[in-house]
Amino acid sequence: ADIVLCTALDIGEHLLKNGAEVSRVEDTIERICFAYGAARVESFAITTLIVASVRMKNGEHSEQMRHVKSSAMNLHRVEMLNNISREICQDGIPISEAREKIERYKRSKPYPEAVQVLGQVFVVFGFTLFFGGGWLDGIAAGLIALIVALVSRIDLPFNKGNLQIIIRAFIAGALSEISVNIGFAQNLDCVLIGTIMMLIPGLALGTAVYDMFNGNLISGMMRALQ
């Protein structure tokens, strides 16, 4: 019972860490436990905590909890972890194999760091042009996005969580103002809008609304507030 619930919670925890909906986390935990022979499963999750219990058919019982201290949006990892849960439920793969895949997938990245940074630069450049900026505005915004992306990857005690967003937004705003004042860019509003687009948590906000529509009001409000 302990191993089955621990395996299910490993997947549930990393789903929650990477931006999955609370309803998906609870459903995944229950399906995995039932696939490994549980007679009864109870699970409860909010954005920072998962509590679950399982009773096996032989009477074994286990209760465990996970405190999720931080979360981010990474749909690649969510998809990989979903694939493991599908394999467990459909193919009945052994727990040892499932745990090996969990360890491999929970740190996986779809693209190298350099490609992710380059993607942010091109996205910001495109949004700046889309909102009416000129080519120089787009280039300035792209360079600012490059600087902000590199700063966000510096591992410092104060460069984490919500404070990191404040730091990145301040840097983006200050550099946008400087680029216009020195005459490199022309339209401050377009540069600001373009650079700020990489900081807008669209997926997280959509997930919060989805949670609330599914009746998970506490989780939805917590994620929206975050």
Side-chain angles (χ1 to χ4, degrees):
D2 285 338
I3 295 173
V4 167
L5 187 55
C6 183
T7 302
L9 283 178
D10 280 345
I11 293 179
E13 176 188 0
H14 288 285
L15 282 173
L16 195 59
K17 278 185 175 181
N18 290 286
E21 309 93 334
V22 166
S23 56
R24 181 191 297 271
V25 173
E26 294 175 343
D27 184 62
T28 299
I29 292 171
E30 293 172 4
R31 286 177 181 271
I32 291 172
C33 290
F34 282 128
Y36 283 128
R40 184 177 178 83
V41 184
E42 301 287 348
S43 64
F44 172 76
I46 56 176
T47 54
T48 56
L49 181 69
I50 307 174
V51 181
S53 66
V54 61
R55 184 178 296 278
M56 307 302 288
K57 292 178 181 178
N58 62 3
E60 278 190 63
H61 182 266
S62 178
E63 294 181 2
Q64 298 177 33
M65 63 178 290
R66 297 289 175 91
H67 181 201
V68 180
K69 297 181 180 180
S70 62
S71 62
M73 297 303 300
N74 191 321
L75 297 184
H76 169 73
R77 290 179 188 168
V78 171
E79 178 62 22
M80 294 296 100
L81 292 165
N82 278 336
N83 287 339
I84 300 175
S85 65
R86 292 189 190 101
E87 289 180 16
I88 291 172
C89 297
Q90 295 175 4
D91 304 329
I93 63 174
I95 288 183
S96 58
E97 183 180 343
R99 296 188 68 83
E100 287 178 5
K101 290 187 175 184
I102 293 168
E103 289 299 316
R104 185 166 68 250
Y105 289 154
K106 71 183 184 181
R107 296 184 181 87
S108 63
K109 296 181 180 179
Y111 307 105
E113 289 285 341
V115 176
Q116 294 183 42
V117 171
L118 194 61
Q120 290 187 40
V121 171
F122 278 108
V123 165
V124 169
F125 175 81
F127 270 118
T128 304
L129 297 184
F130 176 79
F131 286 113
W135 288 100
L136 287 177
D137 298 327
I139 294 171
L143 292 174
I144 292 169
L146 175 61
I147 294 170
V148 172
L150 295 176
V151 169
S152 67
R153 283 160 173 77
I154 299 175
D155 188 17
L156 296 173
F158 57 84
N159 195 22
K160 299 181 184 298
N162 292 331
L163 186 58
Q164 184 189 78
I165 303 297
I166 297 172
I167 293 171
R168 291 164 66 187
F170 175 80
I171 293 173
L175 292 179
S176 298
E177 184 78 32
I178 291 171
S179 67
V180 173
N181 287 341
I182 64 176
F184 184 75
Q186 304 299 320
N187 301 296
L188 178 60
D189 54 344
C190 296
V191 178
L192 280 172
I193 293 173
T195 54
I196 210 69
M197 289 302 291
M198 66 177 171
L199 302 177
I200 295 176
L203 283 172
L205 195 59
T207 303
V209 174
Y210 183 86
D211 281 339
M212 285 189 279
F213 276 135
N214 276 282
N216 298 303
L217 299 179
I218 295 176
S219 299
M221 288 188 290
M222 288 176 65
R223 201 185 296 269
L225 181 61
Q226 183 183 22

